[in-house]
Amino acid sequence: MSAETVSRTERIAQLNDLCRRGVYPNGRHQMTRTLRATLEEPGAVPGLLATSRLMKAIREYEFTGDDGPERDFGAFDFDGHRVCFKIDYYEPSMVYGSEDPSDPSVTVRVMTIMLTSDY
């Protein structure tokens, strides 16, 4: 692997970290209906608190070598459920994939949070 490839991969990973933390300007977070229903099962207020704790867990997620070098996927246990997140890269109209995920000016990042059974 060339130094250029490594630095491009690391740049993508850094941008994914920003998206995961909610500070990437062209980032969006979405949650599957199944996960949302699971979190809201005891009621709206407990569901909102669970969602807040889940987002904190994603922001603080510790990646392993198995997660991949771009830090675009993670899976962990949360309140008795196996949860995962995946970051995908789109061009600005969000119709097609981004041609260069290392360039934030041409990339919208979408982090989907779901139960692993949704994946």
Side-chain angles (χ1 to χ4, degrees), residues 20 54 57-58 61-64 66-68 71-78 81-86 112-117 119:
R20 209 169 31 85
L54 175 61
I58 290 170
Y61 181 78
E62 293 287 331
F63 288 90
T64 68
D66 294 337
D67 293 323
R71 299 194 293 269
D72 63 343
F73 177 85
F76 56 96
D77 293 320
F78 180 80
H81 302 281
R82 191 75 178 157
V83 174
C84 65
F85 61 88
K86 174 71 174 106
T112 304
I113 308 160
M114 63 199 104
L115 295 170
T116 54
S117 58
Y119 193 62

Side-chain angles (χ1 to χ4, degrees), residues 1-16 69-71 89 97-104 106-107 109:
M1 201 180 304
S2 72
E4 183 178 311
T5 303
V6 171
S7 68
R8 182 177 184 275
T9 300
E10 182 55 30
R11 177 70 179 144
I12 291 170
Q14 291 168 356
L15 294 169
N16 287 342
E70 292 184 0
R71 299 194 293 269
Y89 319 119
S98 174
E99 289 187 25
D100 185 3
S102 68
D103 182 352
V106 298
T107 305
R109 283 176 158 68

Side-chain angles (χ1 to χ4, degrees), residues 48-67:
L48 183 60
L49 295 173
T51 299
S52 178
R53 287 187 300 103
L54 175 61
M55 294 308 296
K56 182 179 188 291
I58 290 170
R59 284 192 307 274
E60 296 175 350
Y61 181 78
E62 293 287 331
F63 288 90
T64 68
D66 294 337
D67 293 323

Side-chain angles (χ1 to χ4, degrees), residues 36-47 50:
R36 183 160 305 281
T38 300
L39 295 177
E40 292 178 352
E41 190 172 294
V45 172

